[in-house]
Amino acid sequence: MPKGKRNYQIPILLIIGGGFLLIIATVLIAHQNVPAAPAPAAPFEEETYPEIPRVSLADARAAFDSGSAIFVDVRSTEAYMASHIMGAINIPLAELEARLSELDQVQWIITYCT
């Protein structure tokens, strides 16, 4: 090799190889820090009362449109204030039995909570 000229091939390969290893290490570390997906929620088990008939959405809509039913929102007052069916009355479920006399027993009473 002539005087003053050096072989730079080996240091360049070391820099490229080191950079490649650094990229791989970064990817592996980043992959380990990704939070695991949350476990799926347990299916909601609704309390069922077979003695209480369910109202289909179509029937409830028809009753709403014709004004033939009273809609009673049995959620908390806070939930009712956040949103509710237009014209619905709020009687929280815990108070429903004590306040039934407030409702017109001749009309169809449809309670809802969602």
Side-chain angles (χ1 to χ4, degrees), residues 50-89:
E51 67 279 7
I52 301 173
R54 298 290 175 150
V55 178
S56 72
L57 184 57
D59 289 344
R61 180 64 194 214
F64 178 81
D65 290 341
S66 69
S68 63
I70 300 171
F71 287 82
V72 180
D73 187 324
V74 295
R75 299 175 300 156
S76 69
T77 302
E78 294 79 19
Y80 174 81
M81 294 303 288
S83 69
H84 58 271
I85 295 173
M86 185 174 52
I89 300 167

Side-chain angles (χ1 to χ4, degrees), residues 8-66:
Y8 291 105
Q9 207 169 17
I10 292 177
I12 290 175
L13 289 176
L14 286 174
I15 291 171
I16 291 172
F20 183 69
L21 289 174
L22 184 60
I23 291 171
I24 290 174
T26 303
V27 169
L28 290 174
I29 290 170
H31 181 69
Q32 290 176 352
N33 291 334
V34 173
F44 176 73
E45 291 191 28
E46 181 180 349
E47 286 187 69
T48 57
Y49 299 94
E51 67 279 7
I52 301 173
R54 298 290 175 150
V55 178
S56 72
L57 184 57
D59 289 344
R61 180 64 194 214
F64 178 81
D65 290 341
S66 69

